[in-house]
């Protein structure tokens, strides 16, 4: 697969085949490529914790118990950007046949975030608390390289901000040290081809909306 093909093929997968585990050697290959990502002073600030099999099941139960007991009112996006979440939600939930007014069905769909969408491999991405924004850029470059390497191997993924809202649960279940800041969750597995949301092609801005060129 060419790089451009991998970039265009990558999707946020929201339903995985739970009984089709990803071979460990493929994860290792993708990680080895991602480790080539640039970082400030070669700090390599990314730290990733993976949970498979029994550890994943325990983690999912702890997360779902937490959010059922204290349902999140926000997923951390500022009010001025909430309209973008609404636009995305209309596409994702619409593909699933969930009406905007059906609050219970939407909550059931949202709850799957903390279940890693049924992915057989769950991950949590972290960075040392003493590092700053420029180092989070390094983590982002590592993560994108990892996602593309997975895509090249036919493996689906989804980066999940919502999981990071339960940092205390993640620390307990995955023994994440206090000096690490939890940035996001990560679901990895083979996509369920029958799930409509897995085939969405979410539009992107035109280049000129985000980029300024000076002559």
């Amino acid at each position: 697969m060419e790089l451009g093909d991998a970039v265009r093929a990558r999707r946020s997968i929201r339903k995985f085949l739970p009984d089709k585990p990803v071979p460990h050697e493929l994860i290792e290959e993708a990680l080895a490529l991602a480790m080539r990502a640039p970082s400030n002073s070669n700090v390599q600030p990314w730290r990733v914790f993976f949970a498979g099999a029994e550890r994943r099941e325990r983690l999912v139960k702890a997360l779902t118990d937490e959010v059922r007991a204290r349902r999140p009112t926000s997923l951390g996006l500022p009010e001025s950007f909430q309209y973008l979440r609404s636009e995305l939600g209309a596409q994702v939930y619409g593909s699933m046949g969930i009406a905007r007014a059906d609050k219970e069905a939407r909550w059931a769909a949202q709850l799957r975030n903390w279940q890693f969408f049924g992915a057989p491999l769950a991950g949590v991405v972290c960075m040392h608390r003493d590092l700053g924004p420029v180092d989070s850029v390094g983590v982002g470059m590592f993560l994108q390289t990892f996602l593309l390497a997975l895509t090249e191997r036919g493996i689906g993924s989804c980066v999940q901000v919502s999981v990071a809202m339960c940092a205390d649960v993640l620390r307990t279940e995955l023994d994440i040290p206090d000096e690490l800041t939890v940035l996001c969750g990560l679901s990895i597995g083979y996509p369920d081809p029958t799930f409509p949301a897995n085939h969405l092609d979410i539009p992107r801005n035109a280049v000129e909306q985000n980029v300024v060129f000076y002559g």
Side-chain angles (χ1 to χ4, degrees):
M1 184 181 286
E2 297 289 337
L3 174 61
D5 295 331
V7 172
R8 285 183 285 270
R10 191 209 63 80
R11 299 283 188 278
S12 291
I13 301 302
R14 293 179 171 87
K15 188 175 183 182
F16 295 83
L17 299 175
D19 299 323
K20 187 178 180 182
V22 178
H24 185 73
E25 59 268 23
L26 296 184
I27 300 296
E28 289 282 354
E29 289 176 9
L31 286 169
L33 288 172
M35 292 292 289
R36 305 295 303 176
S39 62
N40 177 35
S41 300
N42 199 32
V43 169
Q44 302 176 65
W46 45 84
R47 297 291 183 271
V48 188
F49 297 78
F50 287 113
E54 293 182 8
R55 182 63 70 99
R56 179 204 169 281
E57 294 304 312
R58 195 174 79 189
L59 176 61
V60 165
K61 183 180 186 306
L63 287 170
T64 52
D65 285 350
E66 173 70 15
V67 296
R68 281 177 172 139
R70 284 172 286 277
R71 185 183 296 195
T73 57
S74 169
L75 293 182
L77 200 63
E79 185 64 33
S80 57
F81 288 88
Q82 284 292 342
Y83 73 96
L84 294 170
R85 185 182 299 282
S86 297
E87 290 176 4
L88 177 62
Q91 296 176 75
V92 173
Y93 296 130
S95 73
M96 297 165 62
I98 299 175
R100 184 175 183 80
D102 192 342
K103 294 183 179 179
E104 286 308 309
R106 288 173 72 89
W107 169 240
Q110 290 173 7
L111 192 61
R112 295 176 60 249
N113 279 276
W114 293 279
Q115 299 167 350
F116 295 93
F117 300 113
L121 184 62
V124 177
V125 181
C126 304
M127 182 180 77
H128 197 281
R129 64 188 177 195
D130 292 344
L131 297 174
V134 69
D135 302 294
S136 66
V137 172
V139 177
M141 289 188 283
F142 160 84
L143 189 52
Q144 173 72 340
T145 305
F146 183 47
L147 299 184
L148 294 178
L150 291 174
T151 301
E152 182 186 29
R153 287 157 177 77
I155 302 166
S157 59
C158 187
V159 178
Q160 298 169 253
V161 177
S162 55
V163 171
M165 299 175 65
C166 301
D168 289 343
V169 174
L170 299 175
R171 291 186 191 284
T172 299
E173 297 299 327
L174 298 180
D175 301 318
I176 298 174
D178 289 341
E179 65 265 22
L180 296 183
T181 298
V182 174
L183 298 178
C184 65
L186 184 61
S187 295
I188 298 173
Y190 290 100
D192 184 338
T194 68
F195 190 60
N198 285 347
H199 302 286
L200 288 174
D201 189 6
I202 304 299
R204 295 297 193 265
N205 293 345
V207 172
E208 55 269 22
Q209 287 184 252
N210 293 68
V211 180
V212 177
F213 287 103
Y214 291 109

